Amino acid sequence: MTMIGILGAGQLGRMLALAGYPLGLHFRFFDSASDSPASLFAEQITADYADTSALDRFAVGLDLVTYEFENVSVDAVRYLERSAPVYPPSIALEKGQDRFHEKSFFRELGIPTAEFSLETESISFPSVLKTRRMGYDGKGQAVLSSQADIYNEEVSELLVQQDLIVEEFIPFDRELSIISARSKTGEMVFYPLTKNQHRDGILRLSIVDGTISSQLQKQAEEYATAVMNALNYVGVLAIEFFEKDGQLLANEMAPRVHNSGHWTIDGAVTSQFENHLRAITDAPLGSTSPLGVCAMVNLIGIIPDMKSILKIEGAHLHLYDKAPRPKRKVGHVTFVEKDVETLQKKLDQLKEIYDI
Ligand code: AMP
């Protein structure tokens, strides 16, 4: 029996467990919150990440450890490394947790990014001010159109926090992400680039419809390969890009399964969750081929009437057992269709009951 410890018991942990049980894998979770989406699925240790006696209890009998969110404490991961292998390696976590280190790392590898600086005055307007750490889903950032914006309330709140990075604002044509997996032997697989639409900094819609050029796909795979090889990476990695004039600019990476890969549960031969588990357990990686044209819609802040969603033929509904709150991801709906027109019809049907 392989026992996997997962740091974080949110919906990503829950979907990892859902993918792992058919493979005979067993799980234990660690989270600082008790009413977590994964807690129904396996034992959970609820404690602060700094509580080493709780980490010891968590580690008993674990064959390996992984994590499902990137703001997990690096100290906790380092501590656990003494009792079981941790994948992805903690170096990936460290790079991903600090936007300045992350972007500097992209630059070292020759991967284009938006111009960035720690000097808030040194990037021309418009620019984007972001906290270096702990930012996610658009939290901890503000767009500056001119010098005058420095005095607005949102920006003043950020400026008090000091640890900031300023980036060139990219008027991108679209946002894309690549989900890749690498095993211990260096075997790598890549899912097709996913087109992502955000609102208020939060992902709302991901589409995989076979319209991405092979040249762009190849470029993204080369960048992902460079990142994974440099980190001796094991597991699933997501990289988010802006596309501008046919060029990819890396925005950020996440050393974990990613929201823009949720379509793979219903829409790919092997889901990102299964491939993450295959990679960390040293099993062969599975095919990333899509099963059709796919769309994944995040349910944010509200859960629309479930029966109305299920009435749409082909709707795959995933709920996370989370109470709806503004800006909170509570579930998602995936469609896998034979062509773009049918996919659009399904999305139009969903739009009648949910504001995508
Ligand atoms: P992030 O937290 O960096 O993923 O940013 C969340 C979202 O804000 C991105 O998905 C973009 O839609 C937008 N955004 C972030 N940085 C920039 C930028 N430098 N230029 C334009 N839009 C940005």
Side-chain angles (χ1 to χ4, degrees):
M1 182 180 102
T2 303
M3 185 72 180
I4 300 177
I6 302 184
L7 295 169
Q11 63 264 22
L12 299 176
R14 176 181 168 112
M15 289 185 267
L16 279 168
L18 279 167
Y21 284 126
L23 300 176
L25 301 172
H26 292 253
F27 299 93
R28 182 181 302 142
F29 289 92
F30 191 105
D31 204 300
S32 52
S34 56
D35 58 340
S36 56
S39 58
L40 280 179
F41 286 66
E43 180 195 357
Q44 182 185 319
I45 308 283
T46 308
D48 192 272
Y49 285 96
D51 182 343
T52 49
S53 66
L55 290 172
D56 288 339
R57 270 186 286 135
F58 172 68
V60 174
L62 293 182
D63 294 293
L64 52 102
V65 173
T66 189
Y67 42 89
E68 60 98 79
F69 77 121
E70 74 264 34
N71 287 326
V72 64
S73 141
V74 174
D75 287 343
V77 169
R78 286 267 153 78
Y79 185 79
L80 289 166
E81 273 171 352
R82 294 192 264 170
S83 31
V86 181
Y87 304 115
S90 50
I91 176 85
L93 199 56
E94 275 184 275
K95 298 261 186 222
Q97 281 185 355
D98 182 313
R99 289 185 193 273
F100 182 70
H101 292 156
E102 183 179 57
K103 289 211 160 55
S104 305
F105 177 57
F106 287 143
R107 199 176 261 179
E108 280 160 32
L109 294 174
I111 302 172
T113 66
E115 286 301 315
F116 64 95
S117 171
L118 295 179
E119 307 296 323
T120 39
E121 312 79 44
S122 65
I123 299 283
S124 55
F125 297 105
S127 60
V128 188
L129 194 61
K130 299 180 179 180
T131 52
R132 275 176 71 171
R133 301 180 144 267
M134 303 301 276
Y136 65 97
D137 282 349
K139 286 181 193 141
Q141 57 178 276
V143 176
L144 305 180
S145 316
S146 69
Q147 184 70 29
D149 280 344
I150 299 224
Y151 303 104
N152 84 29
E153 200 180 330
E154 197 186 357
V155 176
S156 311
E157 275 172 27
L158 277 180
L159 285 172
V160 179
Q161 301 185 26
Q162 313 228 321
D163 228 4
L164 299 170
I165 178 172
V166 64
E167 288 174 15
E168 169 194 14
F169 178 87
I170 306 292
F172 51 77
D173 300 321
R174 56 186 178 175
E175 293 191 81
L176 302 167
S177 60
I178 190 155
I179 312 283
S180 326
R182 184 177 184 275
S183 67
K184 277 187 235 175
T185 55
E187 181 195 0
M188 280 179 260
V189 291
F190 307 92
Y191 289 92
L193 275 166
T194 303
K195 299 192 267 182
N196 300 317
Q197 288 174 28
H198 296 80
R199 199 193 302 164
D200 301 327
I202 307 177
L203 181 68
R204 298 215 55 117
L205 173 67
S206 286
I207 293 201
V208 173
D209 59 5
T211 58
I212 300 282
S213 73
S214 55
Q215 196 193 352
L216 210 59
Q217 178 72 26
K218 189 165 159 274
Q219 186 70 86
E221 291 185 11
E222 280 171 13
Y223 294 156
T225 300
V227 169
M228 294 197 292
N229 283 342
L231 299 171
N232 202 12
Y233 198 84
V234 178
V236 159
L237 172 90
I239 307 181
E240 294 181 78
F241 298 101
F242 301 134
E243 186 194 356
K244 180 87 191 90
D245 302 329
Q247 213 212 357
L248 293 175
L249 300 170
N251 178 36
E252 60 181 358
M253 65 178 195
R256 55 166 172 81
V257 286
H258 193 257
N259 193 174
S260 67
H262 289 2
W263 65 270
T264 63
I265 300 175
D266 307 293
V269 174
T270 318
S271 78
Q272 63 163 346
F273 300 96
E274 182 172 334
N275 261 333
H276 181 72
L277 296 169
R278 287 183 183 221
I280 65 175
T281 56
D282 228 358
L285 300 178
S287 163
T288 53
S289 296
L291 299 168
V293 291
C294 307
M296 187 284 317
V297 177
N298 266 340
L299 301 176
I300 298 170
I302 57 158
I303 301 175
D305 177 53
M306 194 175 140
K307 286 187 184 156
S308 306
I309 296 179
L310 296 178
K311 223 185 251 171
I312 307 172
E313 205 188 313
H316 298 276
L317 175 63
H318 300 254
L319 296 176
Y320 309 150
D321 263 322
K322 283 162 84 175
R325 263 197 248 131
K327 298 193 174 181
R328 195 176 205 206
K329 292 173 183 169
V330 289
H332 71 265
V333 182
T334 305
F335 296 103
V336 183
E337 301 297 339
K338 59 184 188 321
D339 54 47
V340 176
E341 293 69 37
T342 317
L343 184 67
Q344 192 52 54
K345 268 191 211 140
K346 299 293 158 108
L347 288 173
D348 290 342
Q349 279 178 271
L350 185 61
K351 271 182 202 159
E352 286 169 23
I353 48 176
Y354 177 71
D355 177 19
I356 297 174

